[in-house]
Structures are given as C-alpha cells and as structure tokens.
Amino acid sequence: MIKDHPNPYLQASLRELSAALDRCARQLRAANGTVEREDIAHLLLAAAQRLAPQDKRPGEPINRVRAGAEVLPDFWPRYEREKRAMRWHLFHQAAEAAGLTPADFGEYLTLTGRPLMDRVLESEEGYREALDWIEEARRVGDRASRQAE
C-alpha cells in the first residue's frame, strides 16, 4: 500500500498558508497569461487574501498603531467586527447541523417581526437566543417527523 505523503501545510502559519495559496494560484496561469482553471485560481486567491496577515494593507490598525495611534481605539472596532463574523459563521454551522434551511428562518420572522440574523449579529445575548431557537426548531421538527411515521 502506498502511504500518503504528509501534508506540509498542516503546521504552517497563516502567513505561510496565504503565501502558498497565492503561489499556487499564480502557477495555474499558463505562460500566455490565461488561466486553465480560473475558478480554482479565484478560489485560491480569495483564500490567500482571507488568510493574509492584515499588516500589509494601508489603513489597517496594525499600521496605524505602528505610526503612533493608540491601540484600543484602533483595534477595538476590528475586534467587534471579528466577533460578529464569528457569531454569523457559527450560527450557520449550528443551523446546518440541526438540519434547518433558510425557509425555517421565516418562521422566526413571523413570530418576532424581525430577522433572526439581526439578533445573531447584534449581541452575544442575541446569538444565544438564536441558538436556543435553533434547538427548539430542531425539537419541533423531530416531533413532527416522529408523528408522521
């Protein structure tokens, strides 16, 4: 049996992963400048950009602080955005794990008059409420499935 080669990227830093993705995307380009698999090249470039350290982009907090700006006012808004993005991402994972679809979220809107995503993004309390709602929706769906059998 042929053993798989170890993945050289498993222990790579985000900076190293970003550089490797960028390099692979550029290698997909043919000598004449065309891309044989443009979809893969775009995917690799997007992933590279997401993983790339933010210190090379002008106007980023790290550059402003290096130029003398105060740390808290420059990094706190970034922290808040990242928290919101993480809640959004984990909410979608939870909904998928519970077997919910976007149509299920219409029920929440009908019950409360506001989109569930607004609650997820506004606060940790709203995120908890959304996870509780997902669990309840899953239980209702499980009961309905058992009754249908």
Side-chain angles (χ1 to χ4, degrees):
M1 174 175 20
I2 298 174
K3 291 186 178 184
D4 291 336
H5 293 307
N7 186 334
Y9 302 107
L10 289 178
Q11 300 299 318
S13 69
L14 293 179
R15 184 181 302 273
E16 291 165 336
L17 286 173
S18 175
L21 288 165
D22 189 63
R23 189 173 49 255
C24 288
R26 294 187 194 296
Q27 288 173 352
L28 286 175
R29 295 190 183 281
N32 63 2
T34 63
V35 179
E36 293 178 26
R37 288 292 311 268
E38 193 164 335
D39 59 330
I40 293 176
H42 286 161
L43 178 64
L44 291 171
L45 288 171
Q49 184 177 8
R50 288 285 301 220
L51 293 176
Q54 304 297 314
D55 59 352
K56 293 189 178 182
R57 297 180 187 163
E60 287 294 325
I62 194 166
N63 291 325
R64 289 193 302 267
V65 168
R66 284 177 179 160
E70 293 183 27
V71 175
L72 180 62
D74 270 275
F75 274 90
W76 192 260
R78 174 73 171 276
Y79 168 73
E80 290 294 331
R81 279 194 312 273
E82 293 294 329
K83 277 194 332 185
R84 287 170 48 106
M86 183 175 55
R87 285 195 306 261
W88 174 273
H89 177 72
L90 292 174
F91 168 78
H92 284 287
Q93 285 184 343
E96 181 181 335
L100 300 182
T101 66
D104 295 315
F105 303 130
E107 184 179 325
Y108 182 90
L109 178 62
T110 301
L111 292 171
T112 65
R114 67 188 296 200
L116 186 59
M117 293 314 305
D118 287 355
R119 294 291 294 145
V120 169
L121 294 175
E122 74 186 14
S123 67
E124 289 184 24
E125 178 186 323
Y127 177 64
R128 281 182 169 277
E129 179 184 310
L131 293 180
D132 286 341
W133 182 85
I134 288 172
E135 181 60 32
E136 182 58 31
R138 180 175 75 155
R139 287 182 185 156
V140 168
D142 288 347
R143 282 193 297 263
S145 293
R146 283 193 300 271
Q147 290 174 353
E149 293 173 353

